[in-house]
Amino acid sequence: MAAGTVTLPQLVDWITRFSAVVTENRSYLTELDSAIGDADHGANMARGMTAVVEKIGAAPASAVDELFKSVGMTLVSSVGGASGPLYGTFFLRFGTTAGAATELDAAALGAALRAGLEGVVARGKAEVGDKTMLDSMVPALDAFDAEVASGADAAAAASAAASAAAIGRDATEPLVARKGRASYLGDRSSGHLDPGATSTAYLFQTLSEALA
Ligand code: ADP
Ligand code: MG
C-alpha cells in the first residue's frame, strides 16, 4: 500500500461509522425534520444505513466500485424519503467514478466525492442556498479539493471537509427552503437547521475519523 492512500477497509470503516452516528443521532435528526418536514429523517437514515451495514457485512466487497454499488443500491431500495435516493445516488456515482480499485489516493477520493455531489445535483436539482444537504456537501468538497491542490493528503483534506460541512450545516439555519418538503413551509422554514445538511455533516465528520 502506498503511503497516504485510502484503503478499502478504511472506506468500509467510514460507512460503518456513518451508520453508527446517524443511528446515535436518530432522535435529533427526526426532531430537526419535525420542525420543517415530516419527522422521519432520523428513521430514514438509521434504517437505511443499518441495512447497508448488514449488506456489506454479509457480502464483503473486493473493490471500491463493488462496495459503493452495494451501499447505494441498499439506500435507494430501503429508504422511502427523498434522502434515500439522494444519498443512494451519491454513493452509486462515488463507486462508478472510483472504479475497481482497492485503494484511492487523495485526488481519486476527491474525484469520487465530486461525482457523488454531481449525482445529488442531477437528481435533486437543488443549489447552494436552497437549504438542503448540498449546503454542507458543496463547501465540504470545495475545502477537500483546495487542500489536495495545496499538497495535503486525504486525511488532512477530509478534516478540512468536515469543518467546512459543519459550517455549511450551521449556515442553513436562517435560510428559507426552496427544495424538498421544507419548501412547503415558505418563510416558516427559516430559523431551523436543515436535517439533510446535518446528516451530511456527519458523513464528512465520519470520513475524517475513518482516515485519521
Ligand atoms: P423526506 O423529505 O422525503 O421526508 P428526509 O426527511 O429523509 O426525506 O430528508 C429530508 C432532507 O433531504 C432535507 O433536509 C434536505 O436536506 C434533503 N433534500 C430534500 N430535497 C432535496 C433536493 N431536491 N436536493 C438535495 N437535498 C434534498
Ligand atoms: Mg422527512
Side-chain angles (χ1 to χ4, degrees), residues 33 38 40-41 44 81-83 86 124 126 132-133 180-181 194-197:
D33 197 33
D38 57 352
D40 65 354
H41 190 58
N44 285 341
S83 57
L86 290 166
T132 72
M133 59 176 69
R181 273 177 203 286
D194 179 61

Side-chain angles (χ1 to χ4, degrees), residues 152-172:
D153 66 8
S159 172
S163 301
I167 292 168
R169 170 202 61 209
D170 292 345
T172 63

Side-chain angles (χ1 to χ4, degrees), residues 3-191:
T5 61
V6 176
T7 64
L8 191 56
Q10 283 179 303
L11 294 169
V12 171
D13 187 39
W14 172 31
I15 297 307
T16 307
R17 285 171 181 273
F18 183 50
S19 175
V21 172
V22 295
T23 302
E24 275 161 34
N25 291 283
R26 176 194 178 118
S27 303
Y28 175 58
L29 292 171
T30 287
E31 187 190 308
L32 294 177
D33 197 33
S34 74
I36 59 168
D38 57 352
D40 65 354
H41 190 58
N44 285 341
M45 295 305 296
R47 183 176 63 251
M49 290 308 300
T50 298
V52 162
V53 169
E54 275 167 17
K55 180 76 187 292
I56 65 178
S62 55
V64 181
D65 55 353
E66 201 190 316
L67 170 65
F68 287 94
K69 184 176 183 187
S70 177
V71 172
M73 295 296 287
T74 304
L75 284 175
V76 170
S77 62
S78 62
V79 181
S83 57
L86 290 166
Y87 276 109
T89 300
F90 176 85
F91 288 120
L92 287 169
R93 296 278 186 104
F94 180 105
T96 308
T97 298
T102 53
E103 53 184 46
L104 303 175
D105 64 17
L109 176 60
L113 291 167
R114 179 68 61 182
L117 161 64
E118 285 165 2
V120 173
V121 172
R123 181 124 200 176
K125 309 274 188 297
E127 294 173 8
V128 168
D130 286 349
K131 197 176 181 106
T132 72
M133 59 176 69
L134 289 174
D135 288 314
S136 43
M137 199 178 283
V138 170
L141 265 288
D142 288 350
F144 189 99
D145 290 350
E147 283 293 302
V148 173
S150 65
D153 66 8
S159 172
S163 301
I167 292 168
R169 170 202 61 209
D170 292 345
T172 63
E173 186 168 339
L175 296 176
V176 172
R178 287 192 294 248
K179 281 283 185 292
R181 273 177 203 286
S183 66
Y184 308 158
L185 290 179
D187 290 347
R188 283 181 293 133
S189 62
S190 180

